[in-house]
Amino acid sequence: MLVNIGTQTLLALGLAALMHRLTRSVVLRATLLLPWLVPNVTVGLLWMWLLDANLGFVNHLVSAIGGEPRSFLGNADLAMPSIALINTWAYTGYTALLLYAGMLQIPPHLYESASLDGAGELRMFRRITLPLLRPILALVLVVSLIGSFQIFDTVAVTEKVVPVGATRVIYLYIYKQAFTYFHMGYAAAVAMALVLILGLLTAVQMWLLRASRSDLT
């Protein structure tokens, strides 16, 4: 969750800012959305091949720059971060478009005034874009939080090549308890506990970010 939300939000913010301030190409927006449109099972199979220790394209790149090939999914320490980064690859484009849509709601005259006062792009991003983007950013963080807890397909597909328990996530745990061990009551209880935890975390996020209020008003 921490790796996925951190990398996804930062990359999406950067991409959205570049689209907003440099280019508004429809082709670029469509390209960013492509990974999100790929089914999660296909994403898992694709990256399982790309990260393969012997035949994977990623390890060929690592070897080309003088590094040591390694089994990213087969290593207990690297398996979970690899799954998180796969999820980041799949959803960053979608998140960037949400943030970009929020940036389009910011009045252009604010940037023009700041530019006339001598503010650079970085300063305008910190002083104008981020504060006025707060409600959309809160939505993105909540969606990313829930999505991180809901990851299942990618883990289920790649589970056969990772060490036992290295990528155990809550959804897969609930599924196995219910449909592998037939502990239906226990699985239902864990699912309800997850709902309560997500509800609490969502409420805390919304409160901290003051998501119901916008500086545009």
Side-chain angles (χ1 to χ4, degrees):
M1 180 189 69
L2 294 176
V3 173
N4 177 55
I5 293 178
T7 56
Q8 184 176 316
T9 304
L10 290 175
L11 287 173
L13 267 175
L15 288 171
L18 288 174
M19 285 192 293
H20 183 235
R21 302 298 294 163
L22 296 180
T23 178
R24 299 190 179 185
S25 168
V26 175
V27 175
L28 177 59
R29 278 178 274 168
T31 303
L32 285 175
L33 202 58
L34 284 177
W36 179 70
L37 296 174
V38 179
N40 289 332
V41 172
T42 305
V43 169
L45 292 172
L46 172 66
W47 279 99
M48 190 167 61
W49 174 75
L50 289 173
L51 296 175
D52 184 83
N54 300 313
L55 303 174
F57 179 71
V58 173
N59 272 306
H60 281 298
L61 291 179
V62 172
S63 299
I65 61 176
E68 287 289 331
R70 59 183 64 196
S71 178
F72 291 94
L73 293 174
N75 186 309
D77 296 325
L78 296 176
M80 188 62 86
S82 297
I83 292 292
L85 292 176
I86 290 171
N87 201 55
T88 295
W89 174 85
Y91 289 95
T92 293
Y94 173 73
T95 304
L97 290 180
L98 288 178
L99 294 172
Y100 173 68
M103 291 178 184
L104 291 178
Q105 305 304 311
I106 300 175
H109 68 81
L110 296 178
Y111 293 103
E112 294 169 4
S113 300
S115 180
L116 290 174
D117 288 338
E121 289 293 335
L122 184 59
R123 187 175 180 84
M124 285 191 287
F125 179 77
R126 287 175 31 239
R127 299 293 186 178
I128 298 175
T129 305
L130 277 181
L132 298 182
L133 199 63
R134 190 179 61 245
I136 302 298
L137 190 57
L139 168 67
V140 164
L141 289 175
V142 168
V143 171
S144 299
L145 172 72
I146 295 173
S148 297
F149 275 97
Q150 286 181 330
I151 186 170
F152 173 80
D153 310 65
T154 309
V155 175
V157 168
T158 58
E159 190 182 26
K160 60 184 179 182
V161 298
V162 303
V164 176
T167 56
R168 179 181 296 169
V169 292
I170 188 66
Y171 257 44
L172 185 64
Y173 179 75
I174 292 172
Y175 172 82
K176 286 190 172 182
Q177 290 297 324
F179 301 108
T180 301
Y181 307 120
F182 299 104
H183 300 157
M184 296 293 182
Y186 175 67
V190 176
M192 289 304 301
L194 178 61
V195 170
L196 294 175
I197 291 171
L198 288 177
L200 177 62
L201 291 176
T202 298
V204 170
Q205 275 191 330
M206 300 289 278
W207 176 72
L208 289 176
L209 292 170
R210 294 175 293 161
S212 60
R213 288 182 288 169
S214 173
D215 294 339
L216 284 172
T217 56

